[in-house]
Amino acid sequence: MAAAMERLRCLLVLLLWLRGTDSFYVPGVAPINFHRNDPVEIKAVKLTSSRTQLPYEYYSLPFCQPTKITYKAENLGEVLRGDRIVNTPFQVSMNVEKKCEVLCNFPNKPVTLTVEQSKLIAERIREDYYVHLIADNLPVATRLEFYSNREEEEKKKEKDVQFEHGYRLGFMDGNKFYLHNHLSFILYYHREDVEENQEPTYRVVRFEVIPQSIKQEDLKADEKGMCTLPEATGSAPQEIDPSKENQMLFTYSVHWEESDIKWASRWDTYLTMSDVQIHWFSIINSVVVVFFLSGILSMIIIRTLRKDIANYNKEDDIEDTMEESGWKLVHGDVFRPPQYPMILSSLLGSGIQLFCMILIVIFVAMLGMLSPSSRGALMTTACFLFMFMGVFGGFFAGRLYRTLKGHRWKKGAFCTATLYPGVVFGICFVLNCFIWGKHSSGAVPFPTMVALLCMWFGISLPLVYLGYYFGFRKQPYDNPVRTNQIPRQIPEQRWYMNKFVGILMAGILPFGAMFIELFFIFSAIWENQFYYLFGFLFLVFIILVVSCSQISIVMVYFQLCAEDYRWWWRTFLVSGGSAFYVLIYAIFYFVNKLDIVEFIPSLLYFGYTALMVLSFWLLTGTIGFYAAYMFVRKIYAAVKID
């Protein structure tokens, strides 16, 4: 009991430390100091919608354009995310207010939208698109205020505030479409401490917007480009009629406020946009349940094994020996090489690549070095790490292939380097063709695709060959018992020893440990949220490794006790059983959480989900396989074989 309490105390200390790491991050860029009247550039990132999952460039819609359009040089992660960061004509200066100003080049001349442009804007409003802007690398957010379920007296005192990323392009009222054509920017600055004689410096710490739809006539623009905002009660919204040309003014205002928030903490507002209490309780609940279940499983398996080994090692008479049953009987066949050893070793090599990549990425992100302020850094790091981890994947695949009596190491290395990446590239290429057809910024440009192919064949492939060569040359794994010449006959198995039943049974515990985290990951991917709880994710990843290993050991023990020695492929398949539950959860999430109705967005969702499920299956299957392999070698080394 005391030991259990000590473990629980250590667990709580770890959780508190992980909570601390969530708020700490190493900024991706150095802070920029502004003086009064210095320009603060407003850039556009993209348009997104959780209904279509298709991002578009900012100027795919007829917004006001600057004299010269300049796109920012982007990293690989930004390109893959569909970001196309571009300058805008908004003129914002540090700590300088603007009441109302017309955005386009002709101050009091309205913008005329053609019928095609009007139709396109109306379609984007119907599809619930959001516009994403950035100022000093801070994304724009819309403030949402609402009353929580408090007592009536408290309701009068304060409201709960949440923020949503970007701002809505427009809204619908019945069958009519209205465009947000006026943007009220609210920028918060933090005044830095300087010496008495120096000019004060400021840093941008928050970027909010209040989007409004105001009819052209109500804005009352003059020849200097200034306009007058009407009273809130007397203004009419700017309607977009998709059946005809529309005239309107794009306007904006700028308001500055001083803030106590320091530059290092400026992302905290964006990263706490939803209540994390549920997350906390669910994670702790999962941790406790999995640790208790793991403890029970370990205790059962260790006690049973000790009894088995003690019985097998007794030097009793010949009659007792003749009545032996269980896993010792298959010692002459347990290390017999399985069918298709090259494919098995190749899949396990890819699984090792994924494991190393995910472990390093989550750990580095937990330390705060891949924060959302470093746009695209997470995806860029993951891609390059997967390429460089090919040397470890090749090494483990080559050594296992040699252990399984394989001889064609060059073909095995090529299979390891191309099997899983080839499937991923093939699916992504097909999906990319559909995205190209929609003219979405989410489509990977052709030069980027060529660069990815060059990385695959120029970095990953040679490293896999290098690792495979050294792994194949190394001594094969030392099996503790010899393999018989003639295979032993396998007795008829009971129904619950069926492979598919094993997959369903083995997948429950690992999936139960991580399904809460899965919800937050899916929300980040499909609903354009920031994911930042890498401390929790690292903890969940460790629990996933532990639970997959223990379930795999239990399943292979039951299989060997039933005198079925064909465990190589089965352990790999059964250990990845939680991938089946991830697939079921993805379908549930699609039906209940997302509002996708069109064919191409649905195809994108299930295409990328298939890649996630495949990768997760390889990862968990590899973890379970190596745990089971070590277990099998250990138990057969502990018994006396005549």
Side-chain angles (χ1 to χ4, degrees):
M1 187 67 184
M5 289 300 293
E6 186 63 32
R7 283 180 193 168
L8 196 58
R9 196 178 298 117
C10 292
L11 179 62
L12 289 172
V13 170
L14 176 64
L15 281 169
L16 289 171
W17 177 76
L18 288 170
R19 186 179 188 180
T21 59
D22 289 336
S23 59
F24 165 75
Y25 72 96
V26 178
V29 289
I32 298 175
N33 292 324
F34 296 92
H35 298 292
R36 183 177 168 81
N37 287 324
D38 282 357
V40 179
E41 194 172 6
I42 307 291
K43 294 183 178 180
V45 183
K46 59 183 172 182
L47 310 169
T48 62
S49 168
S50 59
R51 292 186 64 183
T52 67
Q53 303 299 331
L54 290 167
Y56 287 96
E57 288 188 41
Y58 180 70
Y59 291 122
S60 64
L61 293 181
F63 291 121
C64 295
Q65 297 184 3
T67 314
K68 183 183 178 184
I69 294 177
T70 308
Y71 284 91
K72 171 186 169 289
E74 291 161 336
N75 59 40
L76 178 63
E78 287 175 316
V79 173
L80 296 178
R81 279 161 42 100
D83 293 357
R84 300 292 182 270
I85 299 174
V86 66
N87 61 328
T88 62
F90 294 106
Q91 300 292 323
V92 177
S93 300
M94 171 55 72
N95 211 2
V96 176
E97 302 270 324
K98 283 191 179 181
K99 294 291 184 187
C100 181
E101 196 166 298
V102 178
L103 187 58
C104 291
N105 296 332
F106 305 98
N108 60 352
K109 183 181 177 184
V111 176
T112 302
L113 301 180
T114 64
V115 178
E116 289 76 16
Q117 290 173 333
S118 301
K119 279 182 181 176
L120 185 60
I121 287 180
E123 185 182 345
R124 296 286 182 265
I125 292 172
R126 184 192 291 113
E127 291 169 341
D128 202 18
Y129 267 84
Y130 282 74
V131 182
H132 297 273
L133 306 174
I134 52 172
D136 188 28
N137 200 38
L138 268 184
V140 74
T142 307
R143 179 189 290 259
L144 302 175
E145 293 184 346
F146 58 93
Y147 291 110
S148 61
N149 297 323
R150 292 196 181 100
E151 297 294 330
E152 291 298 323
E153 294 179 4
E154 291 187 5
K155 277 188 180 182
K156 297 174 185 176
K157 293 179 184 176
E158 64 174 304
K159 297 178 182 178
D160 279 348
V161 177
Q162 282 192 2
F163 295 90
E164 63 180 5
H165 306 292
Y167 69 88
R168 287 178 185 271
L169 177 63
F171 61 94
M172 289 180 66
D173 186 6
N175 291 323
K176 293 185 177 181
F177 302 91
Y178 299 98
L179 176 69
H180 285 140
N181 60 324
H182 177 82
L183 300 179
S184 298
F185 293 129
I186 305 170
L187 291 106
Y188 293 76
Y189 64 87
H190 181 76
R191 190 191 298 266
E192 295 299 306
D193 296 328
V194 292
E195 294 179 9
E196 288 184 11
N197 300 328
Q198 288 185 330
E199 187 181 353
T201 59
Y202 309 94
R203 290 177 180 175
V204 180
V205 292
R206 190 186 292 178
F207 182 26
E208 292 180 19
V209 66
I210 301 173
Q212 293 171 270
S213 182
I214 305 173
K215 202 171 183 180
Q216 172 207 334
E217 292 81 7
D218 293 344
L219 284 165
K220 299 172 187 170
D222 60 22
E223 292 181 358
K224 294 180 181 178
M226 309 305 289
C227 52
T228 307
L229 290 175
E231 294 292 329
T233 53
S235 64
Q238 176 64 58
E239 184 182 350
I240 299 290
D241 189 343
S243 62
K244 64 178 185 182
E245 289 186 349
N246 291 273
Q247 290 192 333
M248 69 182 65
L249 288 173
F250 286 101
T251 59
Y252 70 103
S253 59
V254 180
H255 174 62
W256 288 91
E257 286 189 23
E258 189 167 1
S259 172
D260 294 330
I261 299 170
K262 292 192 175 179
W263 188 88
S265 306
R266 66 179 189 160
W267 274 85
D268 291 357
T269 306
Y270 298 88
L271 301 182
T272 54
M273 289 189 176
S274 58
D275 185 18
V276 295
Q277 292 299 320
I278 298 171
H279 199 167
W280 259 102
F281 288 126
S282 303
I283 289 291
I284 292 173
N285 182 54
S286 296
V287 168
V288 171
V289 168
V290 168
F291 267 94
F292 272 103
L293 285 175
S294 300
I296 291 167
L297 284 174
S298 302
M299 192 169 63
I300 291 171
I301 203 82
I302 289 168
R303 288 184 65 182
T304 311
L305 265 176
R306 279 180 178 168
K307 187 179 176 184
D308 287 348
I309 292 168
N311 287 338
Y312 289 150
N313 288 341
K314 277 182 185 175
E315 295 182 358
D316 290 334
D317 52 25
I318 300 170
E319 291 179 7
D320 288 343
T321 309
M322 294 297 288
E323 293 174 6
E324 278 182 357
S325 63
W327 53 268
K328 185 182 177 183
L329 285 181
V330 294
H331 66 82
D333 298 278
V334 73
F335 294 108
R336 187 179 302 283
Q339 286 184 307
Y340 314 115
M342 185 185 293
I343 296 175
L344 178 63
S345 59
S346 299
L347 292 174
L348 289 165
S350 297
I352 291 289
Q353 252 182 294
L354 278 170
F355 178 81
C356 295
M357 180 264 285
I358 291 170
L359 181 66
I360 296 171
V361 165
I362 295 176
F363 184 74
V364 172
M366 183 186 73
L367 298 179
M369 296 179 192
L370 298 174
S371 76
S373 62
S374 309
R375 294 179 179 280
L378 187 73
M379 198 170 288
T380 306
T381 306
C383 288
F384 277 98
L385 267 176
F386 183 79
M387 302 288 175
F388 288 112
M389 291 301 112
V391 68
F392 295 104
F395 179 84
F396 280 90
R399 193 172 183 195
L400 183 67
Y401 184 57
R402 174 86 182 271
T403 306
L404 299 178
K405 307 290 191 293
H407 302 291
R408 296 174 295 176
W409 75 269
K410 291 179 183 176
K411 190 176 178 182
F414 182 78
C415 188
T416 305
T418 56
L419 187 59
Y420 169 70
V423 171
V424 172
F425 188 84
I427 293 175
C428 288
F429 182 78
V430 171
L431 294 177
N432 209 46
C433 291
F434 285 99
I435 304 173
W436 263 332
K438 284 287 197 176
H439 306 289
S440 166
S441 65
V444 179
F446 186 74
T448 307
M449 197 167 282
V450 172
L452 286 170
L453 276 172
C454 291
M455 284 169 60
W456 179 13
F457 289 108
I459 300 174
S460 184
L461 191 75
L463 286 177
V464 169
Y465 263 90
L466 182 69
Y468 210 98
Y469 173 74
F470 284 107
F472 194 78
R473 282 190 63 188
K474 195 171 174 64
Q475 277 292 108
Y477 293 113
D478 184 28
N479 295 327
V481 290
R482 291 193 302 272
T483 302
N484 295 337
Q485 293 286 335
I486 302 169
R488 181 186 179 88
Q489 190 173 358
I490 299 168
E492 188 177 346
Q493 301 294 304
R494 295 183 179 274
W495 66 270
Y496 53 79
M497 294 305 296
N498 185 278
K499 189 185 302 177
F500 298 106
V501 176
I503 288 171
L504 292 177
M505 288 169 59
I508 293 173
L509 184 60
F511 177 76
M514 57 159 284
F515 86 96
I516 296 294
E517 205 64 29
L518 202 61
F519 169 77
F520 286 91
I521 293 170
F522 270 59
S523 298
I525 294 172
W526 303 113
E527 297 187 40
N528 298 307
Q529 302 293 323
F530 287 119
Y531 186 86
Y532 67 100
L533 295 165
F534 291 103
F536 283 129
L537 189 61
F538 185 75
L539 180 62
V540 169
F541 183 72
I542 297 301
I543 293 170
L544 181 69
V545 171
V546 171
S547 54
C548 277
S549 303
Q550 294 192 329
I551 283 293
S552 177
I553 288 169
V554 170
M555 297 302 286
V556 79
Y557 175 74
F558 286 146
Q559 184 180 349
L560 294 176
C561 284
E563 299 175 23
D564 184 355
Y565 53 82
R566 299 169 301 182
W567 62 275
W568 299 89
W569 270 106
R570 180 162 173 166
T571 301
F572 180 67
L573 295 171
V574 166
S575 303
S578 48
F580 172 75
Y581 290 99
V582 172
L583 178 62
I584 298 297
Y585 180 79
I587 296 169
F588 168 81
Y589 190 88
F590 179 82
V591 173
N592 287 280
K593 299 290 182 182
L594 297 179
D595 191 21
I596 297 176
V597 288
E598 295 180 18
F599 170 70
I600 290 180
S602 303
L603 184 70
L604 291 179
Y605 178 85
F606 285 107
Y608 289 129
T609 298
L611 288 181
M612 287 172 59
V613 169
L614 173 65
S615 304
F616 190 74
W617 175 66
L618 279 178
L619 175 70
T620 51
T622 302
I623 293 167
F625 175 87
Y626 276 101
Y629 191 27
M630 286 189 285
F631 169 76
V632 171
R633 287 173 61 199
K634 193 84 174 170
I635 62 172
Y636 281 99
V639 294
K640 296 175 184 175
I641 305 296
D642 296 329

